[in-house]
Amino acid sequence: MSIKHGLLALLDQGPRYGYQLRAEFESRTGSTWPLNVGQVYTTLGRLDRDGLVVPDGEDGEGHVFYKITDEGRRELREWFDEPVSRAGRPRDELAIKLAMAVTVPGVDVAAVVQSQRAHTLRALQDYTRLKARAAEDDLAWQLVLESLVFQAEAEVRWLDHCESRLARRDLVAPAPAPLPADAGGGAVPPDTDDERSDDRAAPRRGRIRRGNR
Amino acid sequence: MNAPVLELRGLGRTYGTGAAQVQSLIGVDLTVDAGELLAVMGPSGSGKSTLLMLAGGLDTPTTGMVLVEGKEITGLPRRKQAALRRRSVGYVFQDLNLIPALTAAENVALPLELDGTSVRKARTAAHAALEEVGVRQLADRFPDEMSGGQQQRVAIARALVGDRRLVLADEPTGALDSATGEAVLRVLRARCDAGAAAVLVTHEARHAAWADRIVFIRDGRLVDDTGRQEGAESLLAAEGTR
Ligand SMILES: Nc1ncnc2c1ncn2[C@@H]1O[C@H](COP(=O)(O)OP(=O)(O)O)[C@@H](O)[C@H]1O
Ligand SMILES: [Mg+2]
């Protein structure tokens, strides 16, 4: 998330001091990404060092104003002109988790998918509730919320997809005997650890255990 | 405490016999209170439509029972079930089911007219319902003179018309673009906020998110439930610390 460019965009509309920038940043994005004033000052320091902003005097209460430079405006234009790189985003912890879950023996992958989906849906409900409450004319806030909504929805769809992939894998290759660690217990038939024995050919839900693929 | 608007107890439905037997729904327990919008999600073929048909008294369960406002509808004579459906339950069918020979307004007014409301009153209510879903200007069109999305909104108006306490909607946003779909969800939400109860079947998480509670159905069973939600600020605060 680019605090740097967010601050430049605000300063493009006139000189401002730290607290002001923080308050405006939060109101534009509806406090979705709360900033502390320390982050604002650190970022201003870096922008100053790079010649993108310059100090612009103090008011009577000692607030130091900053204003954007021509170099800063150029940087801001470039930011608006260029698509946001997908590669620069934080690694997707969930994708990594599921990749691990399907390869590490003994993990209940279906349960991982399900609890994640419930969690993501709850977030989606929260965003939607905020959207329902948001003022119709607060376009900036509406757009931020909708971005969160569509991202969460994409995650849910991907989880649905993972689930049907898992179900299909189970149909194609029936679960092998339990883990080697289960020594002496004897092979348990794949279905008996599932209380739903009346599920004929339907994809099995719940425990998916396998030692290897 | 008032009885829930809808209550399903141990609801099951089996189609066919022998090798062709399909257990479409298995032991579903669910309650929906006044003011509540419940979303049902699940893969195709998981039993969502079956659940809704049973809840609306359009099909008879193999096991269990359905109660609407505390009254068991399962055992009711057909005639009484039909009256209940017209009066208290609005249903949006997955395949719309508009009557081709009737205009939009006539389709929407029909359940009220069948129930003895005067033609004029029914027509006024129909126009109000069409207005609510944003297609009042289509009142005099026939179904084949409307787009899929427009027909869908008429079907939704037919389910909302009058003072329905329970609205059951089977994928009502299927043919709608994203903004129109949202508008429809806002209408359903407003109806629930005004005291109705609704069950919405959808495969779109974005639409399900308008519900107070989302349940999942798979292979005929309820497998997950997001619970009733309150308060969004906590989430945004947590998000900020990531
Ligand atoms: N009238 C019927 N006769 C036989 N099988 C049916 C009938 N209606 C539904 N089914 C079966 O019941 C299961 C659930 O169907 P349905 O409730 O329509 O699922 P969904 O709405 O979730 O896609 C499916 O396997 C479907 O084939
Ligand atoms: Mg269906």
Side-chain angles (χ1 to χ4, degrees):
Chain A
M1 200 265 309
S2 184
I3 302 174
K4 169 179 156 182
H5 293 105
L7 297 188
L8 283 175
L10 293 173
L11 289 171
D12 193 34
Q13 291 152 61
R16 281 155 169 77
Y17 58 87
Y19 275 102
Q20 261 179 336
L21 286 167
R22 181 190 142 189
E24 280 190 50
F25 187 95
E26 292 196 351
S27 84
R28 302 276 176 106
T29 57
S31 308
T32 316
W33 298 286
L35 282 184
N36 62 54
V37 81
Q39 283 172 294
V40 173
Y41 282 116
T42 315
T43 309
L44 282 172
R46 257 184 253 134
L47 290 169
D48 186 9
R49 180 198 65 199
D50 298 340
L52 303 176
V53 302
V54 287
D56 187 41
E58 288 182 23
D59 67 6
E61 292 162 54
H63 296 127
V64 181
F65 281 78
Y66 284 86
K67 79 174 184 198
I68 192 166
T69 63
D70 287 345
E71 188 57 33
R73 287 210 174 82
R74 211 161 10 238
E75 173 74 28
L76 181 61
R77 283 302 135 228
E78 269 171 35
W79 184 57
F80 280 128
D81 288 346
E82 294 211 343
V84 175
S85 160
R86 294 197 60 85
R89 303 211 195 147
R91 279 184 296 266
D92 188 337
E93 182 184 341
L94 179 56
I96 295 170
K97 190 194 247 192
L98 279 181
M100 294 300 164
V102 294
T103 45
V104 174
V107 178
D108 185 346
V109 194
V112 172
V113 170
Q114 205 158 296
S115 79
Q116 182 66 43
R117 185 172 46 202
H119 176 85
T120 306
L121 275 169
R122 276 193 285 268
L124 194 51
Q125 284 174 290
D126 281 344
Y127 300 142
T128 305
R129 214 168 288 119
L130 288 171
K131 217 164 103 65
R133 269 194 247 140
E136 198 83 47
D137 58 356
D138 189 351
L139 191 56
W141 180 214
Q142 293 272 359
L143 291 181
V144 167
L145 282 173
E146 279 162 9
S147 155
L148 296 170
V149 163
F150 279 90
Q151 282 169 35
E153 184 188 40
E155 188 169 295
V156 171
R157 288 180 60 187
W158 177 69
L159 287 164
D160 287 345
H161 171 78
C162 291
E163 187 175 80
S164 54
R165 290 284 296 237
L166 285 168
R168 195 152 357 131
R169 181 183 75 171
D170 271 16
L171 282 183
V172 174
L179 300 181
D182 191 21
V188 179
D191 265 329
T192 52
D193 67 342
D194 194 319
E195 72 277 21
R196 290 153 59 222
S197 50
D198 55 341
D199 264 20
R200 291 154 326 279
R204 296 197 315 136
R205 175 186 100 69
R207 265 149 264 184
I208 294 175
R209 294 179 192 280
R210 54 189 56 214
N212 46 40
R213 355 178 168 200
Chain B
M1 251 315 286
N2 287 332
V5 178
L6 176 67
E7 186 174 358
L8 311 180
R9 287 193 200 149
L11 204 61
R13 178 67 165 106
T14 305
Y15 290 111
T17 50
Q21 199 179 52
V22 179
Q23 276 185 288
S24 206
L25 213 62
I26 306 160
V28 168
D29 294 306
L30 199 60
T31 61
V32 190
D33 291 317
E36 194 177 17
L37 174 56
L38 175 93
V40 179
M41 299 189 77
S44 122
S46 57
K48 305 182 296 296
S49 294
T50 305
L51 184 151
L52 220 58
M53 300 266 271
L54 293 172
L58 297 167
D59 185 18
T60 309
T62 315
T63 63
M65 57 169 96
V66 176
L67 295 95
V68 174
E69 303 199 287
K71 282 197 279 296
E72 185 175 352
I73 64 165
T74 325
L76 285 182
R78 292 261 284 270
R79 204 172 275 282
K80 285 208 161 158
Q81 270 196 15
L84 179 90
R85 280 203 302 272
R86 289 193 302 264
R87 215 162 294 150
S88 323
V89 184
Y91 204 101
V92 184
F93 295 88
Q94 193 165 7
D95 49 8
L96 304 186
N97 265 350
L98 293 177
I99 298 173
L102 299 182
T103 64
E106 287 165 348
N107 263 288
V108 175
L110 188 64
L112 297 181
E113 284 179 32
L114 288 175
D115 209 38
T117 309
S118 77
V119 172
R120 238 190 47 202
K121 269 195 176 159
R123 211 48 74 84
T124 309
H127 280 109
L130 287 169
E131 173 96 59
E132 206 172 339
V133 297
V135 290
R136 166 116 200 214
Q137 75 283 6
L138 304 177
D140 298 324
R141 298 246 192 114
F142 290 92
D144 66 2
E145 297 168 341
M146 294 184 274
S147 74
Q150 291 169 337
Q151 289 183 39
Q152 195 142 29
R153 281 185 278 172
V154 173
I156 292 161
R158 184 182 53 187
L160 295 177
V161 74
D163 196 17
R164 259 68 173 270
R165 300 274 298 135
L166 177 62
V167 177
L168 305 170
D170 200 347
E171 313 236 6
T173 54
L176 303 179
D177 63 70
S178 153
T180 313
E182 181 182 318
V184 165
L185 264 304
R186 281 183 189 270
V187 170
L188 267 188
R189 179 73 264 174
R191 274 300 175 106
C192 292
D193 290 344
V199 182
L200 162 75
V201 166
T202 181
H203 58 269
E204 289 187 81
R206 192 160 27 90
H207 293 152
W210 285 87
D212 300 290
R213 191 150 69 100
I214 306 172
V215 297
F216 278 89
I217 183 167
R218 182 133 30 93
D219 307 337
R221 295 168 195 269
L222 289 190
V223 293
D224 215 352
D225 188 334
T226 62
R228 283 190 183 83
Q229 295 295 297
E230 222 81 58
E233 281 73 14
S234 56
L235 173 104
L236 289 180
E239 199 81 354
T241 61
R242 278 233 281 244

